[in-house]
């Protein structure tokens, strides 16, 4: 479980300290905040739910807002499942393990799974994913109600840890050119779409941007590379 | 009914737990049919990456909380210089994190935010 003291895990823990403070301010009780952490796990979905509940929104409206923000889970899980399973892995096990997928665990999986022998990959992911969830649940339990002890300069700078970590680690682990293209398009399209279509921005940027990246790689870059290597072979 | 203590837990279970896990389960069912070297998986990877990066970029451009009042150029500048340092340092993730966080911290302090 060395993964749990790694840089991404530590960064995520600071985010959960922030979530504890946010939940406290929004009038969520300690046990409700704990239940949210273990049952929802993904931090953006929790923040949205807390915000909606604090504003007194109807349960159906809460469901809609959270579920729209969580569609990204589907391609995230789908992209690591083929690497995680072997022929004997039962589907129920993958369904259970998928609960522990959120951005940090996803990045960890695409970084490390390839170095683990295939028959141990589900165990490896379970060890990291479940420990990470339980550790952060404990953090919420302990830190709930502690006054924001950080001065704004420090809490502001700490807030920056998460996005910068994602930027660097996802680029560093990109093994396919199409992933790098999708990375660049996503970074640009995310904020742009937020201005144009604030409700579905991430979906447009993700599905549209990812598709453009795939098409460019498949029909522009790959044929060109193939043509070049073809010419090289003839010489 | 909505005054009962357990009602909040029902809201969290339905509007939080179910609302997120539905997509994770659909991801498993889809991913289970994808071959590791298939074209479809390449596309799924591209969509997943673009989605995550869109969320990430929005955290920098439209932050909530303490950073909401800080200037945009400082946030983008800190992230961009940190990323550049990461590329120059042979793609070491720690370099990006330390550079960006320190730049932003100094910037906030200097501007008196």
């Amino acid at each position: 479980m060395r993964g749990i003291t790694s840089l991404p895990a530590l960064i995520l823990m600071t985010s959960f300290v922030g979530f504890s403070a946010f939940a406290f301010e929004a009038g969520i009780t300690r046990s409700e905040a704990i239940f949210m952490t273990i049952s929802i796990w993904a931090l953006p979905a929790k923040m949205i739910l807390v915000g909606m509940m604090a504003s007194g929104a109807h349960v159906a409206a809460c469901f809609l807002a959270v579920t729209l923000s969580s569609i990204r889970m589907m391609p995230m899980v789908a992209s690591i499942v083929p690497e995680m399973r072997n022929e004997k892995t039962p589907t129920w096990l993958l369904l259970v393990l998928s609960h522990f997928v959120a951005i940090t665990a996803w990045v960890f999986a695409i970084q490390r799974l390839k170095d683990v022998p295939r028959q141990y990959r589900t165990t490896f992911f379970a060890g990291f994913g479940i420990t990470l969830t339980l550790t952060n649940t404990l953090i919420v339990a302990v830190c709930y109600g502690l006054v924001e002890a950080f001065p704004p300069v420090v809490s502001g700078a700490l807030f920056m840890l998460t996005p910068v970590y994602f930027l660097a680690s996802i680029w560093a682990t990109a093994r396919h050119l199409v992933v790098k293209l999708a990375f660049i398009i996503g970074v640009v399209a995310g904020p742009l779409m937020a201005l144009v279509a604030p409700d579905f921005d991430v979906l447009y940027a993700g599905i549209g941007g990812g598709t453009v990246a795939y098409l460019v790689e498949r029909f522009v870059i790959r044929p060109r590379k193939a043509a070049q290597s073809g010419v090289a072979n003839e010489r | 009914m909505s005054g009962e203590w357990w009602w909040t837990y029902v809201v969290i279970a339905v509007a939080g737990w179910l609302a997120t896990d539905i997509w994770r389960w659909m991801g498993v069912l889809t991913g289970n049919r994808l071959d590791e070297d298939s074209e479809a998986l390449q596309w799924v990877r591209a969509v997943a990456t673009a989605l995550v990066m869109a969320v990430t970029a929005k955290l920098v451009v439209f932050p909530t909380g303490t950073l909401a009042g800080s200037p945009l150029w400082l946030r983008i500048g800190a992230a961009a210089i940190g990323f550049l340092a990461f590329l120059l340092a042979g793609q070491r993730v720690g370099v990006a994190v330390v550079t960006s966080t320190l730049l932003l911290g100094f910037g906030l302090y200097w501007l008196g935010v």
Side-chain angles (χ1 to χ4, degrees):
Chain A
M1 280 314 90
R2 275 170 307 150
I4 211 69
T5 52
S6 62
L7 182 69
L10 295 176
I11 290 172
L12 188 64
M13 289 173 203
T14 63
S15 307
F16 273 86
V17 175
F19 171 73
S20 312
F22 179 61
F24 178 73
E25 278 174 29
I28 303 290
T29 69
R30 184 193 301 263
S31 39
E32 286 161 5
I34 292 170
F35 181 58
M36 270 186 189
T37 306
I38 207 154
S39 69
I40 304 172
W41 180 222
L43 197 51
K46 281 209 299 283
M47 301 293 241
I48 289 169
L49 184 61
V50 170
M52 293 291 283
M53 284 169 68
S55 70
H58 189 267
V59 58
C62 296
F63 179 87
L64 195 67
V66 173
T67 210
L68 285 176
S69 78
S70 304
I71 299 178
R72 69 189 151 76
M73 294 292 178
M74 186 179 165
M76 281 167 68
V77 171
S79 65
I80 57 172
V81 159
E83 237 178 311
M84 204 153 82
R85 62 156 184 203
N86 58 45
E87 308 82 56
K88 288 189 218 131
T89 313
T91 303
W92 65 262
L93 180 64
L94 293 170
L95 289 173
V96 171
L97 288 181
S98 74
H99 178 72
F100 301 96
V101 174
I103 299 184
T104 304
W106 180 75
V107 173
F108 185 84
I110 53 176
Q111 264 175 338
R112 311 276 183 93
L113 277 183
K114 62 179 191 299
D115 303 324
V116 178
R118 193 167 273 277
Q119 69 266 36
Y120 300 126
R121 286 183 184 174
T122 44
T123 319
F124 178 81
F125 182 79
F128 179 75
I130 297 174
T131 314
L132 192 64
T133 305
L134 293 181
T135 308
N136 283 293
T137 306
L138 196 67
I139 287 177
V140 171
V142 173
C143 294
Y144 178 86
L146 291 183
V147 199
E148 282 165 293
F150 297 130
V153 168
V154 176
S155 61
L158 286 180
F159 186 85
M160 196 70 174
L161 287 172
T162 309
V164 171
Y165 169 73
F166 290 150
L167 281 170
S169 58
I170 292 173
W171 185 267
T173 51
R175 275 170 288 158
H176 304 268
L177 184 67
V178 65
V179 171
K180 290 194 176 180
L181 280 175
F183 176 108
I184 296 167
I185 295 174
V187 164
V188 177
L192 278 185
M193 284 295 155
L195 296 174
V196 182
D199 293 329
F200 300 99
D201 49 356
V202 171
L203 280 190
Y204 289 151
I207 299 173
T211 305
V212 169
Y214 173 75
L215 293 176
V216 168
E217 199 272 339
R218 177 77 180 81
F219 294 106
V220 180
I221 297 175
R222 227 186 290 175
R224 205 172 285 175
K225 271 190 183 165
Q228 276 173 356
S229 64
V231 170
N233 287 341
E234 280 167 30
R235 278 176 191 163
Chain B
M1 187 164 95
S2 57
E4 304 284 346
W5 65 270
W6 45 262
W7 177 246
T8 319
Y9 290 91
V10 174
V11 173
I12 296 171
V14 173
W17 189 349
L18 191 64
T20 48
D21 267 358
I22 280 181
W23 298 108
R24 292 180 173 117
W25 297 330
M26 285 173 63
V28 170
L29 300 180
T30 318
N32 240 346
R33 294 156 179 239
L34 294 178
D35 207 40
E36 209 171 343
D37 303 309
S38 65
E39 284 297 318
L41 183 59
Q42 293 284 63
W43 176 72
V44 170
R45 277 195 185 117
V47 169
T49 308
L51 275 167
V52 171
M53 293 329 294
V55 174
T56 304
K58 275 181 66 191
L59 286 175
V60 176
V61 178
F62 306 106
T64 50
T66 322
L67 278 183
S70 65
L72 180 65
W73 60 262
L74 176 64
R75 281 176 271 127
I76 293 186
I81 295 171
F83 192 75
L84 204 65
F86 150 84
L87 291 178
L88 293 175
Q91 304 206 354
R92 294 189 19 215
V93 177
V95 172
V97 172
V98 171
T99 310
S100 293
T101 311
L102 286 181
L103 280 176
L104 189 80
F106 283 129
L108 291 174
Y109 180 75
W110 182 60
L111 293 169
V113 175

